[in-house]
Amino acid sequence: MELPKKFQWGYATAAFQIEGSNSSDGRGATVWDTFSHTSGKIKDGTNADIACDSYNRWAEDIKLMKSLGVTAYRFSISWARIIPLGGRADPVNQLGIQHYSQFIDALIENEITPFITLFHWDLPQALYNRYGGMLMTSEFVLDFTRYAEVCFREFGDRVKDWITFNEPLVVAQLAYGTGAFAPGHTSDRNISQIGDTAREPWRVLHSQILAHAHAATIYRSMAQGGRIGITFNADWAEPYSSIAEDVTAAARKLEFFVAVGADPIFGSGDYPESCKKQLGTRLPSFSEEEKTLVKGSADFLGINHYTTNYIRQDPNPPSDTDFMGNIIQTFTGPDGKDLGPGCGVSWVQVVPWGLRKILQWAHSRYHVPIHITENGLPYPSEALLSLPDVLNDQHRIDYHIEYLNAMKDAVVRDGVDVRSYFAWSLMDNWEWADGFKTRFGVTYVEKDEAGRVLKYWPKKSAGKIQEWFENNIE
Ligand code: PNW
């Protein structure tokens, strides 16, 4: 009982978290450049001006991957490198295209299949300034579609696996709900002067779903023979107790976190009834024409999975700013026990069986091929360690091996159609509002005092993950 021969695996990254060189070769500014240079927004006060220096060190990145035995690599393209000002009438930057083109060629020469994410949160600043970015659905859809089309035309002869958006709901909630991510909108006036947590996140989600659908329609019309999908953050929701209210609450949480993005595309063509009911007119609606366009607009479902929560019914009615579905979320059960060991971020406990359950849920709801596009963890105190201790990442080994076994059970025992697995991440990188202190990588990045990258040091987990795939693929 092994994974099929064509199963692909590797690591995932995102442009803003690894590239650096944020004004090189004509790249335009993004909302994350602005945010990371705004005081108080990033926990450790760092920015991603150098990050892992992957824009320059891309050949080293490929060498690293080759040494780790991967068959695929998921990375994102920086929109502002391709179209510095972002818009459909703005100039295309040949230097940006050349950069990704040579990178893609080199991956393929090394027999590493590229999986490209078109949007991993780094919106061109000019589009935000021009019309509010994702808040202006009509403009955003046209601009994104043109950017996507340029990428398909330039890279689609060689790239056959495309992901339009990474976690549309996470960026909607954190960037326009809590204000923790760029551009930092929220109703909390202690944090930001602008924002409407009750409405903006749903508008931003809506824009991304429509932009996805338009881009997918263009992609299919180009007949390049590849596949196009979209990735959602999908943690498992375990009912806190067996009482009916809690079971319903857990099901509803999955609707608010996953199905609200996935149902329109892979299911009914519309938002789940539970979301429509609670959110009312705060949730934008699709016209009949849009429903037809959106429904069936992806060939595969990407899942980023990190953890599991207990969910129970909130006895109080939901506020206007509630985006969870009127539930209470905990790691601790009624027996006082936690779901699993903690790690280096408060939002993750180690719960391998949750991966199997979310895969079963997604398979039975949507019946489409699934790619696990992220899975990983930081562990406490890792950021305090230095060479060589930092390479001995037993927590990460345990996490990945247990989650991989759970994934395998979902495939070989439950018949879930999982096509690939990407661990997050290839290397320690710039973890958004956490800065550099939170490390998800299987590779330690040695730097000098000025933050310049000296050398990559694969951690023990990288070898163990490779070994696992050697033993578990046909
Ligand atoms: C994902 N949460 O983001 C992103 O796709 C990555 O870029 C990121 O580095 C990785 O996970 C690790 O955080 C998430 O708070 C950020 O639940 C936050 C949450 C989930 C996913």
Side-chain angles (χ1 to χ4, degrees):
M1 298 279 261
E2 292 175 322
L3 297 173
K5 210 177 166 61
K6 59 179 197 295
F7 193 95
Q8 289 184 301
W9 74 276
Y11 297 98
T13 61
F16 195 78
Q17 294 179 275
I18 65 163
E19 284 183 352
S21 301
N22 290 341
S23 50
S24 301
D25 290 348
R27 176 187 180 281
T30 72
V31 292
W32 272 99
D33 294 285
T34 311
F35 196 72
S36 58
H37 284 274
T38 306
S39 107
K41 298 298 184 193
I42 309 303
K43 262 189 211 155
D44 62 0
T46 59
N47 58 57
D49 291 359
I50 302 180
C52 303
D53 197 19
S54 288
Y55 187 72
N56 296 311
R57 290 172 52 91
W58 58 268
E60 288 297 315
D61 290 7
I62 294 178
K63 242 189 251 167
L64 170 67
M65 281 184 256
K66 194 75 195 156
S67 78
L68 304 183
V70 310
T71 63
Y73 179 44
R74 172 182 178 234
F75 63 101
S76 82
I77 288 185
S78 166
W79 184 342
R81 289 197 196 279
I82 304 295
I83 306 170
L85 296 173
R88 57 196 179 281
D90 295 321
V92 171
N93 176 28
Q94 286 308 322
L95 292 175
I97 289 179
Q98 274 166 33
H99 168 76
Y100 290 111
S101 196
Q102 66 182 355
F103 184 65
I104 290 163
D105 283 342
L107 284 170
I108 292 169
E109 268 162 39
N110 283 279
E111 296 172 307
I112 299 171
T113 305
F115 278 64
I116 291 187
T117 311
L118 288 169
F119 185 80
H120 202 124
W121 306 351
D122 44 358
L123 180 79
Q125 180 69 41
L127 298 185
Y128 178 81
N129 297 349
R130 212 174 269 170
Y131 54 76
M134 294 189 278
L135 289 173
M136 177 75 82
T137 303
S138 53
E139 290 292 310
F140 178 77
V141 165
L142 291 171
D143 287 345
F144 177 81
T145 305
R146 192 277 192 129
Y147 156 59
E149 187 178 359
V150 171
C151 292
F152 301 147
R153 192 179 67 223
E154 297 291 342
F155 313 128
D157 55 334
R158 291 153 290 162
V159 175
K160 301 299 172 190
D161 296 278
W162 295 92
I163 294 158
T164 51
F165 286 88
N166 178 68
E167 299 186 352
L169 199 68
V170 171
V171 68
Q173 297 300 352
L174 297 184
Y176 295 86
T178 68
F181 280 8
H185 287 209
T186 175
S187 289
D188 183 343
R189 292 289 168 260
N190 295 317
I191 297 178
S192 167
Q193 287 315 302
I194 24 173
D196 177 357
T197 302
R199 285 180 181 76
E200 287 186 1
W202 305 111
R203 169 55 59 189
V204 164
L205 172 70
H206 197 69
S207 298
Q208 292 175 84
I209 293 175
L210 284 170
H212 159 84
H214 281 277
T217 304
I218 297 257
Y219 182 67
R220 287 171 173 173
S221 77
M222 292 169 83
Q224 294 182 331
R227 297 152 293 275
I228 190 155
I230 182 167
T231 280
F232 296 102
N233 179 255
D235 291 334
W236 177 244
E238 181 70 6
Y240 182 76
S241 79
S242 57
I243 66 166
E245 261 197 320
D246 289 350
V247 174
T248 312
R252 199 171 57 247
K253 198 246 169 173
L254 288 171
E255 297 193 330
F256 269 75
F257 269 73
V258 190
V260 70
D263 276 14
I265 295 168
F266 299 100
S268 66
D270 200 359
Y271 294 121
E273 285 306 322
S274 60
C275 303
K276 291 207 262 188
K277 190 167 161 228
Q278 182 182 320
L279 301 167
T281 55
R282 290 187 282 120
L283 184 66
S285 54
F286 294 112
S287 67
E288 288 309 315
E289 209 181 313
E290 286 170 341
K291 280 183 200 165
T292 313
L293 181 87
V294 169
K295 192 175 170 168
S297 63
D299 304 313
F300 65 86
L301 168 65
I303 283 184
N304 290 351
H305 178 84
Y306 287 89
T307 197
T308 291
N309 297 281
Y310 279 125
I311 304 298
R312 66 179 188 274
Q313 176 64 41
D314 187 339
N316 302 307
S319 72
D320 264 13
T321 53
D322 173 62
F323 57 86
M324 313 257 280
N326 202 25
I327 53 101
I328 295 174
Q329 172 167 309
T330 57
F331 282 125
T332 312
D335 55 1
K337 287 201 188 111
D338 276 5
L339 275 161
C343 71
V345 282
S346 60
W347 52 277
V348 175
Q349 284 195 348
V350 182
V351 193
W353 52 263
L355 175 56
R356 185 171 176 183
K357 287 203 176 187
I358 194 74
L359 289 172
Q360 292 169 346
W361 177 89
H363 180 68
S364 66
R365 194 170 178 113
Y366 303 122
H367 316 283
V368 290
I370 295 173
H371 292 261
I372 298 175
T373 43
E374 288 179 27
N375 175 234
L377 97 168
Y379 66 89
S381 77
E382 184 172 14
L384 305 173
L385 298 178
S386 44
L387 287 167
D389 300 341
V390 72
L391 305 180
N392 195 10
D393 57 344
Q394 191 62 43
H395 288 77
R396 185 169 291 107
I397 295 172
D398 295 344
Y399 178 96
H400 282 290
I401 299 305
E402 288 173 28
Y403 275 72
L404 283 167
N405 287 331
M407 173 190 76
K408 186 180 163 193
D409 283 342
V411 175
V412 303
R413 293 181 198 279
D414 310 332
V416 180
D417 185 7
V418 182
R419 304 277 175 100
S420 73
Y421 175 93
F422 295 88
W424 184 270
S425 178
L426 176 62
M427 53 198 154
D428 291 338
N429 55 49
W430 194 76
E431 177 55 25
W432 306 111
D434 277 7
F436 287 115
K437 289 265 152 62
T438 300
R439 299 181 185 160
F440 280 85
V442 299
T443 304
Y444 174 71
V445 181
E446 187 187 9
K447 295 177 180 174
D448 70 10
E449 297 282 294
R452 281 183 296 252
V453 176
L454 299 174
K455 196 175 165 182
Y456 293 150
W457 296 83
K459 303 176 193 175
K460 223 168 141 186
S461 55
K464 292 291 175 189
I465 291 171
Q466 177 174 10
E467 195 180 292
W468 190 92
F469 280 104
E470 280 167 5
N471 293 332
N472 287 283
I473 296 181
E474 235 172 63

